[in-house]
Amino acid sequence: MRRQQQILELAREKGMIRAKDLEAVGISRNYLYRMHKQGLLEKSAAGLYTLPRAPVTENTSLAEVAKRLPHAIVCLVSALSYHGITTQIPHEIWLSLPRGSWRPKMEYPPLNLTYVSDPAYSFGIQEHVIDRVMVKIYSPAKTVADCFKFRNKVGLDVAIEALREAWRSRKVTMDELVEAAGIDRVSKIMRPYMEATV
């Protein structure tokens, strides 16, 4: 009973728990299966458990992915959507991983992956708490620059809309955009659009 109480406390604290979370505090992963069978925990995704009737938000899938792929960073259309600087609705989770990383095997939610090298991978990371899970998401300025860098993937119209909306809503400064464009090596491509936006 004491172990179950510890696990329930852990689930309340972290929002979502995995077998690794239990093993880190010296509890066998077998408790997850038993508690799920007893209705004390719900399985929200493969290997992820929450308290029963835990609230589901529009960003819950971002928290689930962050819990399962801690090195992944939410980027491009998913980051635009999170920051509220696009009219696009992502039908998959857009993630950035370090170049050379293994391809994660996840059936759900669907993923759209980009692999980048440093410093583009590690620049502009913000940490946001979603459903009590720390989720890494690129800043609005870095996301806009990424959209120009991956314009063949997301569409130039999406990149231009993101730039205009980020500037209009004051979620970016010109200095932040210039720095992010430099890191992503898209300064020449972005400059005319930035000049037209100001």
Side-chain angles (χ1 to χ4, degrees):
M1 202 59 157
R2 194 175 67 79
R3 290 283 196 217
Q4 286 188 356
Q5 204 55 44
Q6 278 181 284
I7 294 167
L8 292 173
E9 283 299 317
L10 202 59
R12 268 191 282 281
E13 176 193 325
K14 294 184 174 281
M16 297 176 192
I17 56 173
R18 303 175 67 189
K20 285 181 182 179
D21 297 319
L22 268 62
E23 290 169 348
V25 293
I27 301 174
S28 167
R29 61 176 53 213
N30 294 333
Y31 279 94
L32 287 175
Y33 176 73
R34 273 187 249 145
M35 290 177 71
H36 171 49
K37 239 182 142 174
Q38 294 168 353
L40 297 171
L41 291 174
E42 284 183 1
K43 195 172 191 175
S44 64
L48 285 181
Y49 296 85
T50 63
L51 292 172
R53 296 172 302 284
V56 176
T57 67
E58 62 184 296
N59 293 315
T60 294
S61 56
L62 296 181
E64 290 173 356
V65 168
K67 194 75 176 164
R68 293 167 72 188
L69 303 172
H71 298 300
I73 302 164
V74 177
C75 66
L76 297 168
V77 180
S78 294
L80 291 178
S81 178
Y82 180 81
H83 292 303
I85 51 177
T86 187
T87 56
Q88 304 295 312
I89 298 169
H91 299 290
E92 52 198 352
I93 309 267
W94 294 67
L95 298 173
S96 182
L97 291 163
R99 183 164 282 145
S101 297
W102 53 273
R103 182 170 180 80
K105 292 178 183 171
M106 285 177 59
E107 289 180 28
Y108 187 84
L111 306 178
N112 192 319
L113 306 172
T114 57
Y115 294 88
V116 293
S117 54
D118 263 330
Y121 168 75
S122 56
F123 176 81
I125 299 171
Q126 295 179 338
E127 293 182 335
H128 298 270
V129 177
I130 300 171
D131 298 343
R132 295 188 300 275
V133 174
M134 189 66 71
V135 180
K136 296 178 197 167
I137 303 175
Y138 282 125
S139 69
K142 172 67 161 64
T143 301
V144 169
D146 284 349
C147 286
F148 278 93
K149 181 175 184 166
F150 294 103
R151 62 195 175 280
N152 292 340
K153 197 170 186 177
V154 300
L156 183 59
D157 56 329
V158 171
I160 294 167
E161 176 198 37
L163 171 62
R164 288 182 181 148
E165 187 54 31
W167 181 256
R168 187 196 63 72
S169 60
R170 298 183 179 186
K171 294 192 177 176
V172 295
T173 66
M174 199 48 67
D175 288 343
E176 290 169 341
L177 286 169
V178 167
E179 185 180 12
I183 293 287
D184 274 355
R185 298 180 180 163
V186 289
S187 299
K188 286 182 183 174
I189 295 160
M190 282 181 67
R191 187 174 296 118
Y193 298 104
M194 288 162 62
E195 287 170 357
T197 300
V198 176

